[in-house]
Short mmCIF file of all heavy atoms in Angstrom, two decimals:
data_model
loop_
_atom_site.label_atom_id
_atom_site.label_comp_id
_atom_site.label_asym_id
_atom_site.label_seq_id
_atom_site.Cartn_x
_atom_site.Cartn_y
_atom_site.Cartn_z
N LEU A 52 -1.99 9.72 -29.38
CA LEU A 52 -1.30 10.54 -30.27
C LEU A 52 0.20 10.15 -30.41
O LEU A 52 0.81 10.15 -31.49
CB LEU A 52 -1.39 11.98 -30.02
CG LEU A 52 -2.85 12.63 -30.07
CD1 LEU A 52 -2.83 13.99 -29.62
CD2 LEU A 52 -3.32 12.49 -31.51
N LEU A 53 0.81 9.78 -29.21
CA LEU A 53 2.21 9.45 -29.30
C LEU A 53 2.47 8.20 -30.11
O LEU A 53 3.45 8.07 -30.82
CB LEU A 53 2.69 9.12 -27.80
CG LEU A 53 3.00 10.39 -26.99
CD1 LEU A 53 3.22 9.89 -25.53
CD2 LEU A 53 4.20 11.15 -27.51
N ILE A 54 1.57 7.22 -30.08
CA ILE A 54 1.69 5.94 -30.91
C ILE A 54 1.42 6.31 -32.43
O ILE A 54 2.17 5.95 -33.26
CB ILE A 54 0.81 4.84 -30.43
CG1 ILE A 54 1.15 4.52 -29.02
CG2 ILE A 54 0.98 3.70 -31.31
CD1 ILE A 54 2.55 4.08 -28.80
N LEU A 55 0.33 7.04 -32.62
CA LEU A 55 -0.06 7.41 -34.05
C LEU A 55 1.09 8.17 -34.71
O LEU A 55 1.29 8.13 -35.95
CB LEU A 55 -1.34 8.11 -34.09
CG LEU A 55 -2.63 7.24 -33.68
CD1 LEU A 55 -3.86 8.13 -33.75
CD2 LEU A 55 -2.74 6.02 -34.57
N SER A 56 1.74 9.04 -33.94
CA SER A 56 2.78 9.94 -34.50
C SER A 56 4.02 9.15 -34.94
O SER A 56 4.86 9.66 -35.66
CB SER A 56 3.19 10.98 -33.47
OG SER A 56 3.82 10.39 -32.37
N LEU A 57 4.12 7.84 -34.55
CA LEU A 57 5.19 7.04 -35.09
C LEU A 57 5.10 6.86 -36.58
O LEU A 57 6.01 6.57 -37.26
CB LEU A 57 5.21 5.67 -34.38
CG LEU A 57 5.53 5.67 -32.90
CD1 LEU A 57 5.39 4.30 -32.28
CD2 LEU A 57 6.87 6.17 -32.62
N GLY A 58 3.84 7.13 -37.11
CA GLY A 58 3.64 7.04 -38.51
C GLY A 58 3.68 8.44 -39.16
O GLY A 58 3.12 8.65 -40.22
N GLY A 59 4.22 9.42 -38.45
CA GLY A 59 4.20 10.77 -38.97
C GLY A 59 2.78 11.39 -38.78
O GLY A 59 2.17 11.15 -37.78
N TYR A 62 -1.38 8.90 -39.93
CA TYR A 62 -2.32 8.08 -39.31
C TYR A 62 -3.09 8.77 -38.16
O TYR A 62 -3.86 8.18 -37.38
CB TYR A 62 -1.69 6.85 -38.80
CG TYR A 62 -0.99 6.04 -39.80
CD1 TYR A 62 0.40 6.13 -39.93
CD2 TYR A 62 -1.66 5.36 -40.77
CE1 TYR A 62 1.12 5.41 -40.86
CE2 TYR A 62 -1.04 4.62 -41.72
CZ TYR A 62 0.36 4.70 -41.83
OH TYR A 62 1.03 3.93 -42.80
N ILE A 210 6.13 15.55 -38.57
CA ILE A 210 6.79 14.54 -37.77
C ILE A 210 7.45 13.51 -38.64
O ILE A 210 6.90 13.06 -39.63
CB ILE A 210 5.68 13.77 -36.85
CG1 ILE A 210 4.98 14.74 -36.01
CG2 ILE A 210 6.36 12.77 -36.05
CD1 ILE A 210 3.78 14.18 -35.22
N THR A 211 8.69 13.24 -38.29
CA THR A 211 9.51 12.18 -39.04
C THR A 211 8.89 10.83 -38.75
O THR A 211 8.79 10.46 -37.54
CB THR A 211 10.94 12.19 -38.57
OG1 THR A 211 11.56 13.50 -38.82
CG2 THR A 211 11.77 11.18 -39.38
N ALA A 212 8.41 10.22 -39.76
CA ALA A 212 7.71 8.90 -39.60
C ALA A 212 8.65 7.75 -39.40
O ALA A 212 9.69 7.66 -40.20
CB ALA A 212 6.88 8.56 -40.82
N GLU A 213 8.45 6.93 -38.39
CA GLU A 213 9.24 5.72 -38.21
C GLU A 213 8.53 4.57 -38.91
O GLU A 213 9.15 3.54 -39.24
CB GLU A 213 9.34 5.37 -36.69
CG GLU A 213 10.16 6.41 -35.94
CD GLU A 213 10.34 5.94 -34.44
OE1 GLU A 213 10.07 4.81 -34.11
OE2 GLU A 213 10.68 6.89 -33.66
N HIS A 214 7.24 4.61 -39.17
CA HIS A 214 6.45 3.60 -39.92
C HIS A 214 5.68 4.30 -40.98
O HIS A 214 5.05 5.31 -40.73
CB HIS A 214 5.49 2.85 -38.94
CG HIS A 214 6.15 2.26 -37.74
ND1 HIS A 214 7.06 1.21 -37.82
CD2 HIS A 214 6.08 2.51 -36.43
CE1 HIS A 214 7.47 0.89 -36.60
NE2 HIS A 214 6.83 1.66 -35.76
N SER A 215 5.73 3.79 -42.16
CA SER A 215 4.93 4.38 -43.26
C SER A 215 4.45 3.22 -44.16
O SER A 215 5.01 2.16 -44.18
CB SER A 215 5.89 5.40 -44.05
OG SER A 215 7.00 4.75 -44.57
N PHE A 225 -1.15 -1.59 -35.74
CA PHE A 225 -0.69 -0.30 -35.40
C PHE A 225 -1.81 0.45 -34.64
O PHE A 225 -1.58 1.14 -33.63
CB PHE A 225 -0.29 0.49 -36.55
CG PHE A 225 0.32 1.86 -36.35
CD1 PHE A 225 1.56 1.96 -35.70
CD2 PHE A 225 -0.38 2.99 -36.72
CE1 PHE A 225 2.03 3.29 -35.57
CE2 PHE A 225 0.07 4.24 -36.58
CZ PHE A 225 1.38 4.34 -35.90
N ARG A 228 -2.43 -0.90 -31.22
CA ARG A 228 -1.39 -0.51 -30.28
C ARG A 228 -1.77 0.84 -29.69
O ARG A 228 -1.59 1.15 -28.52
CB ARG A 228 -0.02 -0.47 -30.92
CG ARG A 228 1.08 -0.08 -30.03
CD ARG A 228 2.51 -0.04 -30.77
NE ARG A 228 3.48 0.52 -29.97
CZ ARG A 228 4.67 0.85 -30.36
NH1 ARG A 228 5.01 0.57 -31.64
NH2 ARG A 228 5.62 1.38 -29.56
N ILE A 287 2.66 15.76 -31.23
CA ILE A 287 3.50 15.31 -30.11
C ILE A 287 4.19 14.02 -30.51
O ILE A 287 3.60 13.31 -31.38
CB ILE A 287 2.76 15.24 -28.81
CG1 ILE A 287 3.76 15.02 -27.65
CG2 ILE A 287 1.78 14.02 -28.94
CD1 ILE A 287 3.02 15.19 -26.32
N ALA A 288 5.43 13.78 -30.12
CA ALA A 288 6.12 12.60 -30.54
C ALA A 288 6.89 12.07 -29.36
O ALA A 288 7.34 12.84 -28.41
CB ALA A 288 7.08 12.95 -31.65
N GLU A 289 7.14 10.73 -29.32
CA GLU A 289 7.96 10.16 -28.32
C GLU A 289 9.40 10.74 -28.20
O GLU A 289 9.90 10.91 -27.17
CB GLU A 289 8.00 8.62 -28.47
CG GLU A 289 6.76 7.94 -28.13
CD GLU A 289 6.89 6.44 -28.14
OE1 GLU A 289 7.98 5.94 -28.42
OE2 GLU A 289 5.96 5.68 -27.80
N ASN A 290 10.06 10.97 -29.49
CA ASN A 290 11.22 11.52 -29.55
C ASN A 290 11.13 13.00 -30.09
O ASN A 290 10.65 13.25 -31.15
CB ASN A 290 12.08 10.77 -30.53
CG ASN A 290 13.54 11.27 -30.62
OD1 ASN A 290 13.92 12.28 -29.99
ND2 ASN A 290 14.38 10.68 -31.51
N ASP A 293 12.08 14.09 -33.46
CA ASP A 293 11.20 13.77 -34.69
C ASP A 293 10.28 14.91 -35.03
O ASP A 293 9.71 14.83 -36.14
CB ASP A 293 10.44 12.44 -34.36
CG ASP A 293 11.32 11.26 -34.27
OD1 ASP A 293 12.46 11.33 -34.81
OD2 ASP A 293 10.97 10.32 -33.74
#
Side-chain angles (χ1 to χ4, degrees):
L52 295 176
L53 281 171
I54 300 301
L55 293 179
S56 66
L57 294 174
Y62 304 106
I210 303 175
T211 302
E213 295 184 17
H214 306 292
S215 59
F225 183 69
R228 182 181 171 189
I287 193 167
E289 286 190 356
N290 183 2
D293 288 341

